[in-house]
Amino acid sequence: MDDGRHCFWAGVRDCSPLLVGMAPFGLICGAVCVNAGMPVWAALGFSTIIFAGASQLAAVQLMADHASLAVVVLTGLVINARFLMYSASIAPHFRGTPPARKGLIAYLLTDQAYALSIARFGRGGDGLSERILYFLGVALTVWTCFCATAWAGAVLGAFIPPSWDLGFAIPLTFIAVVVPAIRDRPTVLAAAAAGTTAVLASGLPYNLGLLVGAVTGILTGYLAERRLNRG
């Protein structure tokens, strides 16, 4: 039990530096919902149920532009398609977990929780219960920060001056997650290919540039690692 608590608090500790960027992200999500015409309770529910800031921002923008329901849903699915890849990658580390707990893990899966957890799991040494508790330490910290700041953003959104430009914190959050995971040639090539492709494809409709960049990065990393292993 002591080892389990240690793993949980290790997750909280490892995730804490990322909250500097997560807090403004949550504020933005809550404020955007209210500014789009949602009441505070709906904005809070929106952030809690979806719990995916990037797709939430895109969906709210599309709804504000009076896009059809099909376009809103499709955009959200495309942006969140990366979680299918995250799930396939992290699932072997949770083999044997009861279904109800797997459901909780799936709901709490985020970019931050995936990146930090997969980095720790790759080092080995933890049993199933320790891996679950470490993941929950990271994921629950992210969830609490995001939901609390989204609520604050929804309440205070009308009073945040545009000159603050809190949007700068969004890319900083993802940079802080990605950079520690770039440790060898395949990951460098994958990151470079994904980033370049996403930028070049940013003009594609329905935010498809993000998905194209992700797939390109995965294929590049896979081929580079395969060639390295052959060598």
Side-chain angles (χ1 to χ4, degrees), residues 178-195 217-218 220-225 228:
V178 170
V179 170
I182 302 176
R183 295 173 295 182
D184 50 26
R185 182 176 296 180
T187 53
V188 169
L189 292 173
I218 291 171
T220 302
Y222 169 75
L223 294 174
E225 187 170 3
L228 182 63

Side-chain angles (χ1 to χ4, degrees), residues 101-127:
R101 194 167 295 178
K102 279 187 178 180
L104 176 62
I105 291 172
Y107 166 69
L108 292 172
L109 184 62
T110 60
D111 300 281
Q112 296 83 1
Y114 170 79
L116 291 175
S117 296
I118 206 70
R120 179 183 173 98
F121 299 165
R123 296 195 292 267
D126 290 334

Side-chain angles (χ1 to χ4, degrees), residues 40-137:
V40 172
W41 65 266
L44 181 58
F46 199 61
S47 299
T48 304
I49 294 171
I50 296 179
F51 188 43
S55 61
Q56 178 177 328
L57 291 174
V60 171
Q61 183 61 53
L62 288 170
M63 288 188 289
D65 293 339
H66 306 288
S68 67
L69 178 61
V71 170
V72 174
V73 172
L74 177 61
T75 300
L77 291 175
V78 168
I79 293 175
N80 288 337
R82 68 190 187 280
F83 289 109
L84 293 174
M85 298 179 283
Y86 292 171
S87 298
S89 172
I90 205 170
H93 297 286
F94 293 125
R95 187 173 290 115
T97 304
R101 194 167 295 178
K102 279 187 178 180
L104 176 62
I105 291 172
Y107 166 69
L108 292 172
L109 184 62
T110 60
D111 300 281
Q112 296 83 1
Y114 170 79
L116 291 175
S117 296
I118 206 70
R120 179 183 173 98
F121 299 165
R123 296 195 292 267
D126 290 334
L128 176 60
S129 60
E130 286 79 14
R131 290 195 293 271
I132 292 174
L133 286 169
Y134 179 83
F135 176 89
L136 291 177

Side-chain angles (χ1 to χ4, degrees), residues 104-229:
L104 176 62
I105 291 172
Y107 166 69
L108 292 172
L109 184 62
T110 60
D111 300 281
Q112 296 83 1
Y114 170 79
L116 291 175
S117 296
I118 206 70
R120 179 183 173 98
F121 299 165
R123 296 195 292 267
D126 290 334
L128 176 60
S129 60
E130 286 79 14
R131 290 195 293 271
I132 292 174
L133 286 169
Y134 179 83
F135 176 89
L136 291 177
V138 175
L140 287 173
T141 302
V142 172
W143 182 88
T144 301
C145 178
F146 181 78
C147 290
T149 53
W151 178 83
V155 172
L156 303 174
F159 304 100
I160 297 178
S163 59
W164 283 20
D165 192 19
L166 298 178
F168 78 94
I170 297 175
L172 290 181
T173 301
F174 291 101
I175 290 172
V177 170
V178 170
V179 170
I182 302 176
R183 295 173 295 182
D184 50 26
R185 182 176 296 180
T187 53
V188 169
L189 292 173
T196 302
T197 303
V199 171
L200 294 176
S202 61
L204 293 177
Y206 308 122
N207 294 296
L208 287 174
L210 180 64
L211 183 59
V212 172
V215 172
T216 302
I218 291 171
L219 291 176
T220 302
Y222 169 75
L223 294 174
E225 187 170 3
R226 186 176 179 181
R227 182 174 181 179
L228 182 63
N229 291 335

